[in-house]
């Protein structure tokens, strides 16, 4: 996301609108990418991203193959690059990569001639999640320029937050990051240097005041073992998005969560299933946005 321009964001989102129109037809399939092959290579668990890339490819009539580390020759010790080159040799036009190591998709792109899409790498980035979040916000609120988005939770370890900060800041939103200091060090502000307004406000009650969008992030329980979170109940008391806190946001405020959720910890069920929640919409919009990304990459209409 870090080098995406406003025009490039707009191009993806406008293309996603056209894909959305396809998805509203009685037959949700167009022949646009017939004859192409997309390989989903997921080294980490995923429900939303993997399934939506699969549906996106199929809706565009591409052939889609799914490869998980378990059951592949990775278990026999095959290297990452050998695995990707094998998949390319088998005819993949695009490789969609999720990996626990930051930089794995970029490494793949340096060794492959086919297209590579980052479906989440370590704590580094999750660009198509940021695109679908931006798309969901734009559909509901219009242009996000001047809107206030509060991202709350484990920002330090969140690839969703990293990509989201870049995307919303570049589009002119005011980005406020909230969470415990152990999961939100002051250095995070530097992430968006020069791209827009971003600031840290550890106190969520203050941060949420007047927000247009409140995005809660999953608390990763392994952080407790690492000593970064002493107590989940205390975390929920101070940083859970609950009905009382949401009252401080704008009446029209949208509630987002990339999923999967820990209900009762970072978000209360009453908020997650409220009329303000667009969490299911985010999931559904992931298909149109990923169709747009596949289309732009495979037809060469996008710059990259
Ligand atoms: N939001 C997200 O990346 O979810 P999955 O891990 O289920 O793909």
């Amino acid at each position: 996301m870090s080098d995406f321009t406003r025009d490039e964001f707009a191009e993806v989102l406008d293309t996603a609108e056209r894909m959305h129109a396809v998805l509203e037809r009685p037959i949700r399939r167009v022949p646009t990418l017939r004859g192409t092959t997309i390989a989903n290579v997921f080294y980490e668990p995923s429900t939303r991203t993997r399934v939506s890339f699969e549906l996106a490819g199929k809706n565009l009539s591409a052939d889609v193959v799914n490869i998980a580390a378990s059951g592949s020759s990775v278990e026999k010790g095959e290297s990452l690059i050998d695995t990707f080159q094998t998949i390319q040799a088998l005819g993949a036009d695009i490789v969609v990569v999720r990996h626990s190591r930051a930089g794995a998709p970029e490494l793949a792109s340096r060794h492959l001639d086919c297209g590579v899409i980052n479906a989440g790498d370590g704590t580094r980035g999750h660009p198509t999640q940021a695109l679908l979040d931006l798309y969901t916000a734009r559909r509901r609120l219009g242009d996000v320029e001047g809107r206030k988005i509060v991202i709350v939770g484990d920002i330090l370890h969140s690839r969703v937050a990293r990509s989201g900060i870049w995307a919303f800041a570049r589009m002119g939103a005011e980005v406020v990051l909230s969470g415990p200091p152990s999961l939100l060090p002051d250095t995070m502000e530097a992430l968006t240097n020069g791209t827009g307004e971003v600031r840290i406000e550890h106190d969520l009650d203050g941060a949420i005041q007047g927000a247009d969008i409140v995005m809660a992030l999953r608390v990763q329980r392994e952080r407790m073992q690492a000593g970064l979170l002493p107590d989940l109940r205390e975390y929920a008391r101070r940083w859970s998005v609950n009905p009382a806190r949401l009252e401080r946001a704008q009446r029209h405020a949208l509630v987002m969560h990339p999923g999967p959720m820990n209900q009762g910890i970072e978000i209360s069920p009453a908020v997650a299933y409220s009329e303000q929640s667009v969490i299911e919409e985010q999931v559904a919009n992931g298909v149109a946005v990923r169709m747009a990304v596949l289309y732009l990459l495979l037809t060469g209409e996008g710059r990259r």
Side-chain angles (χ1 to χ4, degrees), residues 1-68:
M1 294 282 83
S2 61
D3 66 347
F4 249 59
T5 64
R6 277 195 182 207
D7 285 348
E8 286 168 331
F9 278 117
E11 183 180 19
V12 176
L13 302 193
D14 292 346
T15 308
E17 282 297 349
R18 302 211 303 275
M19 299 303 169
H20 205 111
V22 169
L23 296 177
E24 283 173 346
R25 295 180 193 166
I27 296 174
R28 303 146 60 111
R29 186 165 287 207
V30 287
T32 318
L33 297 185
R34 183 170 291 151
T36 63
T37 301
I38 295 160
N40 283 329
V41 187
F42 278 61
Y43 285 81
E44 251 195 357
S46 166
T47 302
R48 295 152 197 76
T49 313
R50 193 193 62 71
V51 174
S52 60
F53 265 115
E54 180 171 353
L55 291 174
K58 287 178 172 169
N59 289 338
L60 294 168
S61 299
D63 292 321
V64 182
V65 291
N66 293 304
I67 299 146

Side-chain angles (χ1 to χ4, degrees), residues 181-288:
S182 58
L183 299 177
L184 176 51
D186 289 343
T187 50
M188 301 297 293
E189 247 173 4
L191 269 180
T192 59
N193 244 354
T195 61
E197 192 181 339
V198 59
R199 64 189 166 87
I200 289 175
E201 195 168 337
H202 292 290
D203 171 36
L204 181 56
D205 289 323
I208 211 167
Q209 202 74 42
D212 297 286
I213 302 167
V214 181
M215 182 188 290
L217 300 175
R218 183 171 74 88
V219 170
Q220 302 176 27
R221 287 165 194 261
E222 57 273 27
R223 305 298 163 220
M224 279 190 72
Q225 276 133 35
L228 292 171
L229 268 184
D231 179 40
L232 281 182
R233 269 207 311 211
E234 174 65 4
Y235 180 90
R237 195 178 67 74
R238 295 184 60 183
W239 288 287
S240 178
V241 181
N242 59 29
R245 288 212 166 94
L246 194 55
E247 291 259 309
R248 294 167 175 262
Q250 301 269 6
R251 287 172 72 87
H252 63 247
L254 306 179
V255 175
M256 291 187 166
H257 192 304
M261 289 185 277
N262 293 304
Q263 291 181 35
I265 300 178
E266 71 265 11
I267 190 167
S268 73
V271 168
Y273 299 106
S274 69
E275 289 200 348
Q276 285 171 266
S277 168
V278 291
I279 296 169
E280 276 189 24
E281 244 172 85
Q282 287 173 271
V283 176
N285 287 340
V287 179

